[in-house]
């Protein structure tokens, strides 16, 4: 007997073979339904995000709702142009002839998403898959159960179930899906699971997109507007899901002389945003689960760093809350500097000269994002030329992901 996952893929492939998902009209109808779903069910989406992460409503709107809306808008605006065959130059050898590149959908694709932006990081790759004319299965993260269950309900209600489906579940359900032959797998999550996904995909020679994590540095030069810099770091670290974001600042590098001024400015910036007691603030997300709380707690309590806290440090296990916490001069071999933090902890490493920061960054695996704050144009150019990372922003954090052309998650 065929498994549920095998039957689902069979059904989706049959639907794909009818050619319906390929048509411009079908793609537009599904994209418009997603737009409608986001507008009509905004309140439900915000409630689910609050249940999963205590995500503040404003943050939920900006980083989940608005992101999905603008992806839909962009896809609807560009779809005709993306579907249009592209003329290719011919050569003397084929004269007289014409040639063109025709984009075509791949077939049935699987999107496996994560818990930190559980709505936008689920729906945006699905928008890409639909835009490209594929049949799609979304497997949301079980670690954000309220959003996962809402996505399952909303997709049934708003989308064409013969070609777009949600499968909820944990490792066994994902493993069953991964045993099937897909035409593409789009995965967002940790490198550890990324290896499992790639191994499963290799069996069927299925191409994969892996959206993984990493440690994202921010280099702070002394030639900056200190208040603006501190506010932008606070926004990109703690106002981005309390640091549970793949491109949030993972650690800071600055000079020994400048570190005390920077710490003071960050302390003020945190107070401006979250009040004198951030543990009571309604404007900051909580830690997603008790497992992640314990993981962060063990990073904080490691004997090499527990006495290096200069701001914050408060935590409440029952409410899964950890205050914005800054460490000064943690050793390079501490766990804080060895693994992706993915939470509200922010170590500051000091160097003699700001240029030394580049060797430090380059001694580690390539970051997903790298940030530099400076008014020095020579340093800007040197940083861009010397640091290789997935993305980069100068004098800001995180915002580069809002530029569509820099970050397209379409599946072709
Ligand atoms: P997670 O635990 O939710 O796992 C992600 C997905 O993998 C889930 O759907 C889960 O069900 C599935 N999964 C987990 N274990 C599995 C297994 N053994 N076999 C098959 N599937 C399995 O999320 P996570 O891994 O904790 O995500 C956090 C990571 O994601 C961080 O490293 C973060 O940087 C990264 N991330 C990257 C991006 C990006 O765009 N690059 C965005 C967000 C998060």
């Amino acid at each position: 007997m065929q498994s549920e996952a095998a039957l689902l893929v069979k059904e989706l492939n049959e639907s794909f073979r009818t050619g319906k998902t390929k048509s411009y009209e079908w793609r537009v109808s599904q994209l418009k339904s997603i737009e409608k779903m986001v507008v009509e069910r905004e309140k439900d989406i915000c409630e689910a995000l609050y249940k999963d992460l205590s995500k503040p409503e404003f943050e939920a709107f900006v980083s989940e709702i608005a992101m999905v809306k603008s992806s839909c808008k962009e896809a609807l605006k560009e779809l005709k142009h993306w579907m249009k065959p592209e003329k290719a130059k011919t050569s003397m050898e084929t004269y007289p002839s014409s040639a063109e590149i025709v984009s075509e959908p791949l077939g049935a694709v699987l999107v496996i998403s994560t818990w930190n932006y559980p709505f936008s990081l689920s729906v945006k790759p699905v928008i890409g898959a639909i835009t490209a004319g594929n049949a799609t299965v979304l497997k949301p993260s079980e670690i954000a159960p309220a959003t996962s269950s809402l996505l399952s309900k909303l997709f049934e209600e708003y989308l064409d179930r013969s070609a777009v489906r949600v499968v909820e579940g944990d490792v066994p359900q994902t493993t069953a899906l991964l045993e099937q032959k897909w035409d593409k797998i789009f995965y967002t999550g940790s490198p550890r699971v990324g290896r499992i996904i790639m191994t499963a995909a290799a069996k069927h020679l299925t191409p994969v997109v892996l959206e993984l994590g990493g440690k994202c540095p921010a280099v702070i030069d002394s030639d900056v507007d200190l208040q603006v810099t501190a506010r932008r770091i606070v926004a990109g670290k703690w106002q981005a899901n309390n640091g549970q974001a793949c491109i949030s600042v993972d650690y800071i590098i600055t000079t020994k002389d400048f570190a005390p001024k920077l710490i003071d400015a960050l302390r003020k910036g945190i107070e401006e945003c979250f009040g004198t007691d951030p543990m009571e603030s309604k404007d900051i997300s909580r830690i997603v689960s008790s497992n992640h709380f314990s993981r962060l707690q063990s990073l904080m309590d490691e004997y090499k760093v527990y006495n290096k806290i200069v701001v914050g440090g408060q935590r409440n296990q029952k409410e899964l809350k950890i205050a914005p916490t800054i460490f000064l001069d943690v050793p390079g071999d501490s766990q804080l500097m060895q693994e992706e933090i993915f939470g509200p902890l922010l170590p500051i490493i000091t160097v003699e000269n700001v240029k030394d920061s580049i060797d430090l960054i380059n001694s580690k695996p390539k970051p997903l994002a790298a940030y530099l704050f400076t008014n020095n144009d020579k340093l800007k150019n040197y940083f861009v030329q010397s640091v290789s990372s997935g993305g980069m922003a100068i004098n800001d954090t995180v915002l580069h992901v809002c530029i569509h052309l820099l970050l397209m998650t379409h599946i072709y």
Side-chain angles (χ1 to χ4, degrees), residues 111-126:
V111 173
I112 302 176
S113 77
T114 183
W115 53 264
N116 61 337
Y117 290 89
F119 187 74
S120 59
L121 292 182
S122 297
V123 181
K124 282 179 63 169
V126 171

Side-chain angles (χ1 to χ4, degrees), residues 112-117 121 139-143 169-171 174-175 178 187-193 196-197 210-214 245-247 292 340 342 368:
I112 302 176
S113 77
T114 183
W115 53 264
N116 61 337
Y117 290 89
L121 292 182
K139 212 303 285 172
S141 175
E142 69 284 5
I143 296 177
D170 206 324
V171 176
T174 319
T175 308
L178 286 171
Y187 165 78
T188 308
S190 63
R192 182 187 67 80
V193 179
I196 298 173
I197 307 290
L210 300 179
E211 291 279 355
L212 307 177
C246 57
I247 49 160
H292 278 278
E340 182 185 6
F342 219 59
L368 194 58

Side-chain angles (χ1 to χ4, degrees), residues 14 73 101 147 165 176 227 269 289 320:
E14 279 168 10
K73 206 168 151 209
I101 300 162
T147 312
R165 294 286 258 284
Q227 190 188 36
S289 67
L320 299 179

Side-chain angles (χ1 to χ4, degrees), residues 243-302:
Q244 302 167 105
C246 57
I247 49 160
S248 84
V249 178
D250 187 278
Y251 65 102
I252 281 178
I253 312 174
T254 193
T255 55
K256 275 194 180 18
D257 296 346
F258 194 61
K261 287 187 201 145
L262 178 65
I263 291 167
D264 274 348
L266 286 170
R267 189 182 285 115
K268 280 190 198 125
I270 291 169
E271 203 175 312
E272 267 176 4
C273 261
F274 309 116
T276 44
D277 184 3
M279 296 294 277
E280 294 301 318
S281 173
K282 299 270 177 277
D283 298 322
I284 194 162
S285 298
R286 67 162 162 79
I287 307 305
V288 72
S289 67
S290 50
N291 281 347
H292 278 278
F293 186 94
S294 307
R295 177 183 67 78
L296 289 163
Q297 185 155 259
S298 78
L299 293 184
M300 291 171 89
D301 292 343
E302 194 191 359

Side-chain angles (χ1 to χ4, degrees), residues 199-213:
T199 308
K203 254 194 193 159
H204 301 286
L205 296 179
T206 297
V208 293
V209 175
L210 300 179
E211 291 279 355
L212 307 177

